[in-house]
Amino acid sequence: MGVDVLLMTVRQRGTSPKGRQVSPVEFLLDPAGRFARLCASSRQPMLSRVDPVKTLVLTRADMPQFISEVETELAASGDREVTDLLERVLGLARQCAAQESHELHLDGD
């Protein structure tokens, strides 16, 4: 079971949740479950909340902590494939941090 990382843009018309539209901007699929396993074994508080069967929605306000935690895991990684994966996750997180209308969805299977 993997955890896909989706950068989503949110459009909100009015204050009703019915006016909320979410659409994907970019995504990173995790079919081999590498990101899910990394999160499950992580000691980082936000990463350890990632659930391979649920969706965790992170907003721009969550990005400083999320980016810090991913950078910590990246620095500790000795595996090239995991390093590449985390660099791609970081790229999506930085894009999310740069736009008020973006969210990062960590989408379990």
Side-chain angles (χ1 to χ4, degrees):
M1 295 177 109
V3 173
D4 300 332
V5 182
L6 298 97
L7 180 64
M8 308 292 270
T9 189
V10 180
R11 290 186 179 80
Q12 179 77 39
R13 291 185 182 173
T15 57
S16 170
K18 292 180 182 180
R20 179 179 160 90
Q21 294 180 316
V22 181
S23 55
V25 176
E26 270 189 72
F27 57 89
L28 170 62
L29 300 179
D30 184 30
R34 287 185 192 280
F35 188 62
R37 284 191 301 278
L38 182 136
C39 291
S41 66
S42 178
R43 291 184 172 168
Q44 303 298 319
M46 190 173 285
L47 288 176
S48 66
R49 286 186 14 225
V50 174
D51 189 330
V53 295
K54 295 182 181 176
T55 297
L56 177 62
V57 177
L58 303 176
T59 65
R60 182 180 184 194
D62 299 314
M63 287 303 102
Q65 180 180 348
F66 183 74
I67 289 170
S68 174
E69 292 184 14
V70 173
E71 287 175 337
T72 299
E73 293 291 340
L74 182 61
S77 175
D79 181 334
R80 184 65 191 155
E81 288 183 21
V82 172
T83 299
D84 290 344
L85 173 68
L86 291 175
E87 286 173 350
R88 293 179 64 199
V89 171
L90 263 178
L92 294 176
R94 288 182 176 133
Q95 287 182 55
C96 182
Q99 294 289 325
E100 184 69 36
S101 63
H102 284 171
E103 293 177 343
L104 201 63
H105 292 209
L106 305 176
D107 192 16
D109 290 331

